[in-house]
């Protein structure tokens, strides 16, 4: 008989035993280490501690949670790529440990190699150990691991490095005094004393200057029958900053809907930020970067959003697999591990299912994937904008008339474009979409106000900036 759980994550993980990568364990620390090691040597997976026979919730104490996390952090070599989450079910705690596919195989626990065969974990035999070392050698020769001689420590984003440092400190993988080079080594982004291509993609301040295929193009099409192209914007920052900015930028074209229920105004997302970000992450993590003609593009239509990735699905994965939880076959494990470290990827192998669940919750419309003609396309249907060429201005030409530097004009154009679609916007949101500091954006808004292009309405606490 299928059990019911109040916690949605447990309900999702334990439903009908569909999740192949799930391993249910007792809280005995030696077992947890072996299982986590085996998952890192395989395709990753999820471990639940505090779940007994028949998927019954038995709970786990705070002391055992701390012990398990400490052991996973320090007793697996090399450093285990994992995140954890403490779940509550009817007053009992359950520890969810998500282990990502290791990018530095083979991993050892208790000085032995372990592998997972179905739901069974055992010591690796000699052939399996040889296969793990061969997989490591293949990874070392991949595009990700090749040194990028045009990138050095000084060209990396200080703010993104700081985000990783804080995560590693929380996980007790380094001290608060860890330097930038140590952080790069923890991310496996240094080879032969040089920053790798993966490190360039994730950390470089302006990676498109080194790797032009890094640019992500967003095209806005009008709401007329011809669906004419009315605006194009390129995002050129590292992919950590780009994911945040694109999510904010795209959802700005599809504002929330207001429903009135029992005389109460309820705001409902038109396009789920969670689903959009998850779809973008999938494209970024699984795309091919090794040729200059590879790309990720997003098309914004009046009735749908498309995320297009050049290339094809990894061998062994079909479009049908994307509609359910599936084993994750990583094309770029170092890039994936970076997002896993930051918590963008919360649970191994569940990204596409989260996209589906989010869309069903918002409007009941199923997203769908196509893998054809050399492209993988994710489509979010039944989301609507009302932009047309008549309403859309060339904001760059407007900003350039203010006689400022090109870099400043670009930021001013971004602000104007965003305000043309959104009302009462606060400075922290403008700082987020431009990637500039709060004081800098404050100065920019004053420039636009002086030019009689925007105005501030309301008080300091509840008001915001608007287009004139």
């Amino acid at each position: 008989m299928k059990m019911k759980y109040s916690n949605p994550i447990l309900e999702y993980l334990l439903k009908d035993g569909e999740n192949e990568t799930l391993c249910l364990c007792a809280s005995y620390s030696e077992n947890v280490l072996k299982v986590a090691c085996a998952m890192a040597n395989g395709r990753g997976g999820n471990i639940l501690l505090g779940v007994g026979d028949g998927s019954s919730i038995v709970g786990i104490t705070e002391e055992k949670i701390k012990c398990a996390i400490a052991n996973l952090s320090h007793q697996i070599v090399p450093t285990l790529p994992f995140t954890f989450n403490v779940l509550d079910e009817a007053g009992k705690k359950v520890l969810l440990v998500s282990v990502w596919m290791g990018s530095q195989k083979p991993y050892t626990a208790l000085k032995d190699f372990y592998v997972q065969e179905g739901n069974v974990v055992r010591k690796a035999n000699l052939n399996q150990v040889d296969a793990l070392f061969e997989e490591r050698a293949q990874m070392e020769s991949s595009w990700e691991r090749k040194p990028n001689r045009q990138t050095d420590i000084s060209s990396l984003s200080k703010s993104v490095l700081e985000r990783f440092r804080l995560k590693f400190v929380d996980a007790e993988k380094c001290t608060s005094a860890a330097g930038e080079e140590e952080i790069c080594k923890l991310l496996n982004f240094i080879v032969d004393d040089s920053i790798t291509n993966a490190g360039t993609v994730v950390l470089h301040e302006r990676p498109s200057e080194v790797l032009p295929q890094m640019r992500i193009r967003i095209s806005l099409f009008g709401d007329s029958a011809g669906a004419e192209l009315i605006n194009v914007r390129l995002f050129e920052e590292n992919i950590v900053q780009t994911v945040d900015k694109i999510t904010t930028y795209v959802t700005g074209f599809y504002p929330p809907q207001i429903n009135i229920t029992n005389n109460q105004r309820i705001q409902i997302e038109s396009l789920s930020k969670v689903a959009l970000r998850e779809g973008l992450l999938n494209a970024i993590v699984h795309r091919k970067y090794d040729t200059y003609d590879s790309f990720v593009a997003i098309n914004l239509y009046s009735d749908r959003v498309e995320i297009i990735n050049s290339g094809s699905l990894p061998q062994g994965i079909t479009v049908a697999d994307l509609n359910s939880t599936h084993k994750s076959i990583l094309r770029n494990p170092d890039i994936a591990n970076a997002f896993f470290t930051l918590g963008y990827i919360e649970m191994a192998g569940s990204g596409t299912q989260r996209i589906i669940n989010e869309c069903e919750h918002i409007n009941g419309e199923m997203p769908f994937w196509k893998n054809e003609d050399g492209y993988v396309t994710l489509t979010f249907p039944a989301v609507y904008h009302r932009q047309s060429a008549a309403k859309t201005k060339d904001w760059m030409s407007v900003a350039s008339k203010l006689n400022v530097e090109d870099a400043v004009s670009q930021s001013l154009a971004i602000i104007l474009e965003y305000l043309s679609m959104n009302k009462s916007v606060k400075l922290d949101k403008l700082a987020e979409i431009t990637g500039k500091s709060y004081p800098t954006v404050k100065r920019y808004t004053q420039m636009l106000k002086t030019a009689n292009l925007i105005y501030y309405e309301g008080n300091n606490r509840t008001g915001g900036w608007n287009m004139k």
Side-chain angles (χ1 to χ4, degrees):
M1 177 178 167
K2 183 179 181 295
M3 299 184 68
K4 295 289 186 181
Y5 306 92
S6 61
N7 187 291
I9 296 178
L10 284 174
E11 178 71 19
Y12 166 69
L13 283 173
L14 296 173
K15 64 177 180 181
D16 299 329
E18 292 178 6
N19 298 278
E20 297 177 2
T21 58
L22 175 66
C23 183
L24 305 181
C25 300
S27 59
Y28 184 46
S29 59
E30 187 172 301
N31 287 341
V32 176
L33 288 172
K34 292 176 182 178
V35 173
C37 174
M39 287 180 170
N41 282 330
R43 297 295 178 186
N46 301 300
I47 307 171
L48 288 174
L49 290 86
V51 178
D53 294 338
S55 300
S56 61
I57 306 300
V58 298
I60 181 173
T61 65
E62 288 281 357
E63 183 179 354
K64 287 183 178 179
I65 289 174
K66 291 178 181 178
C67 180
I69 294 169
N71 287 338
L72 290 167
S73 298
H74 302 295
Q75 295 193 33
I76 294 180
V77 179
T79 301
L80 181 73
F82 79 100
T83 59
F84 64 89
N85 192 5
V86 179
L87 311 176
D88 181 82
E89 177 64 27
K92 295 179 180 178
K93 288 183 170 59
V94 175
L95 178 63
L96 167 62
V97 176
S98 280
V99 180
W100 200 251
M101 184 182 91
S103 62
Q104 302 182 66
K105 299 177 181 179
Y107 291 79
T108 63
L110 309 171
K111 299 183 179 179
D112 278 312
F113 302 100
Y114 290 90
V115 292
Q116 185 179 8
E117 298 173 351
N119 287 326
V120 177
V121 171
R122 56 170 55 97
K123 287 184 182 180
N125 59 40
L126 288 178
N127 288 336
Q128 289 169 325
V129 172
D130 287 344
L132 288 172
F133 275 106
E134 184 177 342
E135 190 172 348
R136 171 67 175 266
Q138 291 174 350
M139 287 182 176
E140 296 294 353
S141 63
S142 69
W143 179 88
E144 272 198 310
R145 300 275 173 89
K146 289 180 180 177
N148 191 303
R149 304 300 181 188
Q150 299 180 68
T151 304
D152 55 35
I153 293 289
S154 66
S155 61
L156 305 184
S157 167
K158 308 297 183 188
S159 61
V160 177
L161 278 167
E162 177 65 9
R163 289 173 65 177
F164 280 110
R165 187 186 68 82
L166 292 174
K167 288 291 184 181
F168 285 134
V169 170
D170 287 344
E172 299 183 355
K173 295 178 182 178
C174 72
T175 68
S176 57
E180 295 171 348
E181 185 172 342
E182 183 178 351
I183 300 303
C184 289
K185 287 181 178 178
L186 284 169
L187 289 165
N188 203 35
F189 284 166
I190 292 184
V191 169
D192 297 333
D193 297 323
S194 295
I195 303 296
T196 62
N197 281 326
T200 301
V201 167
V202 174
L203 297 175
H204 200 291
E205 193 72 59
R206 297 288 291 180
S208 60
E209 296 175 357
V210 179
L211 300 168
Q213 66 267 42
M214 271 293 306
R215 298 182 177 95
I216 296 179
R217 184 186 74 247
I218 299 184
S219 302
L220 174 66
F221 294 86
D223 57 6
S224 64
E228 74 278 21
L229 178 65
I230 58 177
N231 191 23
V232 174
R233 182 174 167 194
L234 295 177
F235 286 78
E236 303 183 283
E237 295 92 344
N238 62 66
I239 53 179
V240 173
Q241 294 169 316
T242 292
V243 165
D244 295 331
K245 289 183 180 181
I246 287 180
T247 301
T248 299
Y249 177 77
V250 170
T251 53
F253 286 96
Y254 302 89
Q257 300 177 1
I258 303 297
N259 287 352
I260 299 178
T261 304
N262 296 328
N263 295 323
Q264 289 187 329
R265 291 168 58 87
I266 300 175
Q267 185 170 284
I268 302 174
E269 285 183 301
S270 297
L271 174 63
S272 166
K273 287 186 178 181
V274 172
L276 176 67
R277 190 177 79 165
E278 200 71 44
L280 182 59
L281 279 171
N282 278 348
I284 286 172
V285 167
H286 294 292
R287 68 169 287 189
K288 293 185 69 175
Y289 286 92
D290 55 354
T291 59
Y292 285 120
D293 60 352
S294 66
F295 67 87
V296 170
I298 302 177
N299 291 335
L300 311 182
Y301 293 99
S302 61
D303 61 351
R304 68 191 186 278
V305 172
E306 295 177 348
I307 300 177
I308 305 169
N309 195 353
S310 61
S312 59
L313 292 173
Q315 188 174 359
I317 295 291
T318 68
V319 168
D321 293 328
L322 301 179
N323 291 313
S324 60
T325 305
H326 56 277
K327 287 187 179 294
S328 184
I329 299 176
L330 292 177
R331 185 172 276 136
N332 305 292
D334 288 344
I335 293 173
N337 281 331
F339 281 111
F340 197 65
T341 297
L342 289 177
Y344 282 64
I345 301 173
E346 299 174 348
M347 208 160 55
S350 62
T352 55
Q353 191 62 45
R354 188 176 298 113
I355 294 172
I356 292 169
N357 291 344
E358 280 289 321
C359 292
E360 284 185 320
H361 175 70
I362 286 178
N363 61 11
E365 295 288 340
M366 285 280 287
F368 57 90
W369 288 262
K370 288 184 179 180
N371 181 27
E372 57 188 21
D373 300 327
Y375 306 101
V376 178
T377 303
L378 165 61
T379 300
F380 296 100
V383 291
Y384 305 96
H385 77 63
R386 289 293 178 265
Q387 301 292 317
S388 68
K391 299 180 195 174
T392 305
K393 295 182 179 180
D394 182 353
W395 296 115
M396 193 65 191
S397 65
V398 174
S400 64
K401 294 177 181 178
L402 300 181
N403 296 320
V404 294
E405 297 177 357
D406 288 345
V408 176
S409 287
Q410 185 176 17
S411 294
L412 296 179
I414 292 170
I415 292 172
L416 289 169
E417 182 180 47
Y418 194 78
L419 292 180
S420 72
M421 298 177 289
N422 299 274
K423 295 181 179 180
S424 195
V425 179
K426 295 187 177 299
L427 281 176
D428 55 357
K429 178 59 70 175
L430 297 178
E432 180 183 344
I433 66 168
T434 58
K436 302 299 181 182
S437 67
Y438 189 94
T440 298
V441 171
K442 187 175 182 179
R443 179 165 56 86
Y444 288 169
T445 53
Q446 291 301 321
M447 291 171 59
L448 294 171
K449 180 182 177 182
T450 301
N452 203 33
L453 293 170
I454 66 175
Y455 69 97
Y456 191 89
E457 184 175 45
N459 57 44
N460 290 335
R461 187 174 65 85
T462 61
W465 289 98
N466 298 273
M467 288 290 297
K468 279 211 167 182

